[in-house]
Amino acid sequence: MKKVGIVIPIYNVEKYLKECLDSVINQTYTNLEIILVNDGSTDENSLNIVKEYTLKDKRITLFDKKNGGLSSARNVGIEFFYGEYEIQYIEKENELNIFKIVGNNPQNIYKIYKYENALANDRLEIPKIDYIIFLDSDNYWELNCIEECVVRMQNVDVLLFDYKCVYEDGIKDKGKKTRFQKFSYNDECIISPKEYAQRAEEVGMRDISFGVMGMIDFDFLRSIKLKFINYIINEDIHFGMVLFACAKSICILPKPLYICILRSNSISNHDKKITKENVSEYFKDLYEAFGENAKEAKNYLKAASRVITALEMIEFFKEQKSENALAIKETFLSFYVKKALMIKKFKKDPLNLKEKLPIITPYIETRIPYDLWKIWQKVKSFFK
């Protein structure tokens, strides 16, 4: 059986956490390595709940870390599976063995917890996984989610599945179309990134985000050395763009395996009310830079994230020559780069990102469809 690594960031979700974790540990597919990352939760019970589940299920490894946001928490799981941490045993708490990171600790991990009966000789070994998948801790999966994915992962780099949204009171969200509905992906199929880009052109959509709602071949992910960008929002855009540009094949699975609960205080909801008492650690500096004006600080973070994402994508595509990568670049890059200009409207620029705009502006141009662009390149080369 192929082994699947699951990474779940956790931040102040005590009300919803058990529903999420029950959907994971009760999956019909059982060969799992479950990484829970407590991202500096300040509520009363999130950390206690994940400790309880770590004692309940030998497949769980719990990381407790300084608050750093979704990207940082997901990167903990990626880096752990990459084998980037040197880990040392320090003590025991009840039946949990506690470890620490020795040396380089980029995500500020305090402690690692593992049920003692799941260990050999008190050593925490780095598990070898075949596939990796992410889940937000205030949502959950259908119980056959992993099983449905694994049987389709042979000879593909990435798999996408659909989702369904319900409001917290149980009412289904009928107003918003999913990406699968927008792209008219009604049948299961395997496509190339170029074909994904062409479909995006046809339907006039520019959605290439990837965070949850899909599975990745782990050897492929490791080969491209991809991680999430820390301290930004909409981090799944850069991650998805690089992932798709490097992939050779993508499996489209039009089944709603991810249940997205629409809540006012979702861990990925950037419109929730922020006060001096509940401001997250990684956002605190910007919050203070804007005189504790949460709305202005959040809008700046959104604009700053777009600039940082644009800069990273521009740098990435400099080295990409494959047909798939060029298709992704020509279809999506200009669209997302234009969004970075939002930074201009802010008088304050505590991250000094406006000075980076000259790097970005050459990529803001009238974009032509990828196939026409290829023809134009051939015409130009003919006259050289």
Side-chain angles (χ1 to χ4, degrees):
M1 292 177 69
K2 299 293 186 179
K3 181 162 285 191
V4 179
I6 299 170
V7 182
I8 307 175
I10 294 154
Y11 180 70
N12 292 356
V13 285
E14 58 185 2
K15 285 176 61 178
Y16 321 115
L17 191 49
K18 290 186 178 182
E19 182 178 45
C20 170
L21 297 181
D22 285 341
S23 81
V24 174
I25 66 173
N26 293 315
Q27 284 289 305
T28 55
Y29 192 90
T30 59
N31 195 17
L32 311 174
E33 287 288 343
I34 305 164
I35 306 301
L36 306 182
V37 185
N38 180 51
D39 189 36
S41 293
T42 56
D43 61 2
E44 187 175 350
N45 286 314
S46 285
L47 183 57
N48 291 331
I49 291 169
V50 288
K51 284 183 179 179
E52 171 192 330
Y53 275 78
T54 305
L55 284 169
K56 182 188 298 187
D57 196 307
K58 294 181 180 181
R59 299 170 297 176
I60 293 175
T61 305
L62 167 62
F63 289 77
D64 184 32
K65 65 182 290 293
K66 181 179 180 180
N67 179 248
L70 272 175
S71 289
S72 176
R74 289 174 182 158
N75 284 338
V76 166
I78 293 173
E79 290 168 357
F80 177 63
F81 288 131
Y82 280 176
E84 295 183 5
Y85 297 149
E86 183 180 349
I87 298 171
Q88 183 181 93
Y89 172 81
I90 52 174
E91 60 184 336
K92 186 173 293 187
E93 177 185 303
N94 298 325
E95 296 178 271
L96 291 174
N97 281 20
I98 304 176
F99 301 83
K100 68 176 182 179
I101 303 294
V102 179
N104 190 34
N105 186 9
Q107 311 305 336
N108 298 300
I109 297 165
Y110 300 138
K111 294 179 180 179
I112 308 169
Y113 297 84
K114 188 75 175 181
Y115 181 38
E116 62 180 1
N117 287 352
L119 297 166
N121 301 318
D122 289 337
R123 290 178 58 85
L124 181 59
E125 303 290 345
I126 307 300
K128 294 181 180 180
I129 62 170
D130 297 285
Y131 311 125
I132 190 169
I133 187 169
F134 305 96
L135 172 63
D136 286 343
S137 53
D138 51 356
N139 296 317
Y140 60 93
W141 286 326
E142 296 287 4
L143 293 181
N144 64 338
C145 176
I146 301 300
E147 182 178 8
E148 291 279 2
C149 293
V150 168
V151 296
R152 294 170 171 86
M153 282 299 296
Q154 286 76 14
N155 302 315
V156 300
D157 297 318
V158 182
L159 178 145
L160 297 178
F161 52 73
D162 207 1
Y163 68 95
K164 60 183 175 183
C165 284
V166 296
Y167 289 100
E168 195 164 9
D169 57 9
I171 301 173
K172 289 185 178 180
D173 178 22
K174 298 180 180 180
K176 187 177 180 181
K177 290 185 177 181
T178 69
R179 173 170 21 183
F180 277 61
Q181 292 167 336
K182 293 173 183 176
F183 278 55
S184 299
Y185 282 142
N186 301 314
D187 300 312
E188 185 178 328
C189 58
I190 295 176
I191 62 172
S192 68
K194 179 182 176 181
E195 289 171 321
Y196 183 90
Q198 289 171 335
R199 180 62 65 92
E201 289 276 6
E202 291 168 5
V203 300
M205 297 297 301
R206 294 294 180 270
D207 189 353
I208 197 167
S209 58
F210 187 102
V212 294
M213 303 173 204
M215 184 175 282
I216 309 168
D217 181 273
F218 190 68
D219 285 340
F220 162 67
L221 187 70
R222 180 159 42 195
S223 73
I224 62 176
K225 301 177 182 178
L226 180 59
K227 299 179 186 178
F228 291 90
I229 301 174
N230 282 347
Y231 310 123
I232 67 169
I233 60 174
N234 303 130
E235 67 292 329
D236 50 358
I237 293 171
H238 168 266
F239 192 88
M241 181 124 23
V242 174
L243 195 72
F244 282 40
C246 294
K248 293 180 181 177
S249 55
I250 302 167
C251 178
I252 299 298
L253 178 58
K255 292 186 177 183
L257 301 176
Y258 191 99
I259 313 302
C260 181
I261 310 300
L262 301 176
R263 321 181 197 270
S264 60
N265 62 341
S266 162
I267 62 171
S268 58
N269 178 10
H270 308 292
D271 295 322
K272 60 188 176 185
K273 187 175 181 181
I274 292 176
T275 66
K276 190 173 183 178
E277 288 70 31
N278 71 4
V279 62
S280 56
E281 188 71 27
Y282 81 98
F283 183 65
K284 186 180 294 183
D285 288 345
L286 287 183
Y287 179 67
E288 293 175 352
F290 282 89
E292 299 183 0
N293 183 329
K295 183 178 180 180
E296 189 74 0
K298 284 189 288 186
N299 286 337
Y300 177 81
L301 176 60
K302 184 176 182 179
S305 298
R306 290 175 172 178
V307 175
I308 293 167
T309 297
L311 291 168
E312 290 286 342
M313 291 193 300
I314 288 167
E315 193 64 28
F316 166 75
F317 280 113
K318 285 180 181 178
E319 305 298 325
Q320 302 303 311
K321 306 299 181 184
S322 73
E323 189 173 40
N324 281 328
L326 289 174
I328 295 297
K329 175 184 177 183
E330 292 303 315
T331 301
F332 296 98
L333 182 60
S334 179
F335 175 79
Y336 284 110
V337 164
K338 287 177 184 177
K339 292 177 176 290
L341 297 182
M342 177 183 172
I343 198 80
K344 286 183 175 181
K345 74 174 189 178
F346 293 90
K347 294 180 180 179
K348 292 183 179 181
D349 183 22
L351 298 180
N352 299 314
L353 289 171
K354 288 184 182 180
E355 63 187 38
K356 303 289 186 181
L357 289 180
I359 300 173
I360 294 171
T361 48
Y363 294 86
I364 302 172
E365 56 189 20
T366 303
R367 188 188 49 78
I368 61 175
Y370 171 71
D371 287 337
L372 292 180
W373 179 83
K374 288 287 286 184
I375 294 171
W376 171 239
Q377 296 302 308
K378 290 180 180 179
V379 171
K380 286 199 300 183
S381 65
F382 177 79
F383 287 103
K384 284 184 179 178

